[in-house]
Amino acid sequence: MSGPTAGAVPTLELEDIQGTVLRRRPDVYHGVYLLYRIDDPAAAKRSLREVLPEVTSAADWDRPRPFTLNVAFTYRGLARLGVPPGSLASFSPEFRAGMAARKEVLGDLGASDPGNWPPPLGGPDVHIGVVIIATAPEGLHEPVAAAGRLAGVSLVYRLDVGSPVTGREHFGFRDGISSPYLLGSAERSLPGQDAVQPGEFLFGYPDESGAAPAGPAPDVLGRNGCYLAFRQMHADVAAFRRYLRDQARSPEDEELLAAKIVGRWRSGAPLALAPEHDDPDLGADPTRNNDFRYHDDPRGLLVPRGAHIRRANPRDGLADTVVETGIHRVLRRGAAYGPLLPAGALEDDGAERGIIFIFMGASLSRQFEFVQQVWLNDGDFAGLGPEQDPLVGNSGGAGVHTIPARPVRRRLTGLPRFVTVRGGEYCFLPGLAAIAWLTALPDPAGGPSAAPHSSTSEDDR
């Protein structure tokens, strides 16, 4: 990897960085996502000033606490709070446009089209996002009650999330294993983690080029902040189970096919290290379950080149290409919502279930949108032509997934849509000093009028 990664380690201002950027959630947790519309900007800013002491920073993360709380804002929300036009214009075009307007880039088409998203997601009424995480259900009571007393806003969305009792997401896989390591984050890296300069994710620090990327202006607004992409994704678990059953030659082959689609066994054990059989001990060991590369598997005989984890993070699999994988990494936080489909059930029960994904970084277009458009929704980067990600691709019944093998490869065809986007938003996750700055802004002229909104085109990316 090029860039200054091997140089001096930067000092991060942990007290000003919101904790969810740098700190992983506990293995077992309960949480809630809340979205608000700003009705009275002046009252909303007073409420935010009262909430600010409860916003969790990245400092002293190991200190026992009943809950963590973090706050983000959409472009419309920032405008409603009175951010000056010049500052609003300093945000990236895709952030100003919003996620719904970027549907062609993201592949949010067909059933995932924003026209099918239930309100308020993708609409004009989402201004503030709050995420609260606790290790026990009772830990949510106080912060949720406090959030319910916010003045000048209306709650327009609530979704309860958490870690399923199985410890795995709805498709049955252990989640949240792979993540980049931010230099200077005060956490020790795990074997297999890529060390990445913090400017790839946070404004105010050098990125992989050695320079600090331009962030929102003024500096107090942008520093220690990052962009955040919020996605609610429905999981058709029954369809996944039926497809595996119909394609498999045996129950053991069913599990192998699932692993070849994802790149890991359900336990989290990577195919790169356990190609023949699942290894639950390996899957549960954070010192081993992410410590692998693809340099000795160029054809994908162990991990198919189109497998989900190889697409989302090609590691060194693109070493002989012009692609610099380090500048396309994202920080990700995932959470399950909805009841588990009963074990063995092959028919959908009508319940809404899925995953909330949060992607964080300094560039929506270069990181989140690039991964979504080029690595997940296109097979050309891996020499796979029109193939899409077999798990989260938008193939709609015509998907193909190639599994290299000797003497003859195996090809899965007719892949249905296993994941449908239910909605999403582009947000800005500011530093704590920036939140204080926002609460001190004068009210916009003319009172609580509709916030300005701009759009962007493909040429703006």
Side-chain angles (χ1 to χ4, degrees):
M1 180 180 295
S2 63
T5 299
V9 176
T11 300
L12 303 187
E13 298 166 352
L14 301 179
E15 298 82 1
D16 192 48
I17 299 169
Q18 292 206 51
T20 193
V21 183
L22 299 182
R23 308 307 187 197
R24 298 176 66 88
R25 294 171 181 172
D27 291 336
V28 178
Y29 67 89
H30 304 265
V32 60
Y33 288 86
L34 306 169
L35 299 179
Y36 294 90
R37 180 186 67 236
I38 298 173
D39 301 315
D40 182 338
K45 282 182 280 192
R46 288 194 297 271
S47 290
L48 285 170
R49 280 195 291 272
E50 295 172 0
V51 169
L52 184 56
E54 302 297 335
V55 177
T56 309
S57 78
D60 301 321
W61 190 259
D62 293 332
R63 174 174 60 85
R65 65 189 81 201
F67 65 87
T68 61
L69 184 151
N70 294 109
V71 182
F73 302 86
T74 66
Y75 173 74
R76 287 179 179 268
L78 293 172
R80 291 282 283 172
L81 292 175
V83 173
S87 293
L88 291 173
S90 67
F91 285 91
S92 69
E94 56 276 6
F95 172 70
R96 301 198 307 268
M99 185 179 289
R102 304 290 288 173
K103 67 178 186 178
E104 298 290 341
V105 175
L106 297 174
D108 291 344
L109 307 172
S112 293
D113 189 280
N116 297 320
W117 297 355
L121 297 176
D125 290 336
V126 178
H127 300 152
I128 300 175
V130 176
V131 57
I132 304 170
I133 299 294
T135 54
E138 54 269 21
L140 295 173
H141 296 163
E142 177 188 341
V144 170
R149 295 191 294 269
L150 290 175
V153 300
S154 296
L155 180 66
V156 294
Y157 172 101
R158 171 175 175 158
L159 189 65
D160 294 291
V161 301
S163 51
V165 293
T166 61
R168 303 181 183 185
E169 50 80 63
H170 285 289
F171 291 120
F173 292 86
R174 182 184 178 92
D175 194 23
I177 296 176
S178 176
S179 181
Y181 168 67
L182 273 70
L183 290 166
S185 64
E187 287 185 334
R188 284 185 291 181
S189 64
L190 291 169
Q193 274 191 307
D194 293 326
V196 181
Q197 285 289 338
E200 292 294 323
F201 306 102
L202 288 164
F203 292 113
Y205 303 93
D207 62 14
E208 289 293 293
S209 73
D219 182 68
V220 66
L221 175 59
R223 186 169 184 82
N224 292 316
C226 67
Y227 290 114
L228 181 153
F230 166 90
R231 303 270 278 181
Q232 180 178 340
M233 305 171 73
H234 172 76
D236 192 341
V237 179
F240 186 67
R241 291 176 180 175
R242 289 196 305 270
Y243 186 82
L244 292 176
R245 180 202 60 185
D246 293 344
Q247 299 294 320
R249 301 159 181 160
S250 66
E252 294 77 16
D253 189 49
E254 189 172 324
E255 289 303 302
L256 178 61
L257 287 181
K260 290 291 187 178
I261 285 173
V262 173
R264 293 183 184 271
W265 299 92
R266 295 186 198 261
S267 71
L271 280 173
L273 301 179
E276 301 295 336
H277 305 284
D278 195 2
D279 185 343
D281 290 338
L282 169 62
D285 186 349
T287 66
R288 296 190 295 145
N289 63 17
N290 196 44
D291 191 11
F292 62 92
R293 292 289 185 265
Y294 298 124
H295 65 274
D296 57 351
D297 187 28
R299 292 183 53 198
L301 290 170
L302 302 180
V303 185
R305 288 175 294 164
H308 175 66
I309 69 164
R310 191 158 179 169
R311 285 174 172 272
N313 178 16
R315 301 179 186 245
D316 63 341
L318 303 178
D320 295 329
T321 72
V322 297
V323 178
E324 178 77 41
T325 57
I327 67 173
H328 300 299
R329 295 305 311 273
V330 296
L331 288 172
R332 183 178 69 89
R333 303 285 180 260
Y337 70 90
L340 293 171
L341 186 67
L346 295 175
E347 297 299 327
D348 187 67
D349 60 1
E352 177 61 32
R353 61 175 56 86
I355 300 173
I356 292 289
F357 278 130
I358 286 181
F359 302 85
M360 293 172 286
S363 172
L364 288 168
S365 61
R366 176 170 54 82
Q367 293 170 305
F368 169 66
E369 291 189 348
F370 179 92
V371 172
Q372 186 73 25
Q373 183 182 38
V374 179
W375 287 351
L376 298 184
N377 288 340
D378 191 354
D380 279 344
F381 87 98
L384 297 173
E387 290 189 24
Q388 296 186 1
D389 187 294
L391 184 66
V392 302
N394 194 11
S395 54
V400 176
H401 179 50
T402 300
I403 302 175
R406 293 190 178 104
V408 180
R409 70 184 179 185
R410 191 170 182 181
R411 178 164 285 177
L412 301 180
T413 60
L415 281 161
R417 186 198 309 271
F418 299 127
V419 172
T420 301
V421 180
R422 289 287 195 249
E425 297 288 344
Y426 281 162
C427 299
F428 183 68
L429 190 77
L432 274 66
I435 298 177
W437 181 83
L438 289 170
T439 68
L441 288 170
D443 295 330
S449 59
H453 186 62
S454 65
S455 61
T456 187
S457 67
E458 296 271 339
D459 292 335
D460 293 323
R461 287 188 287 118

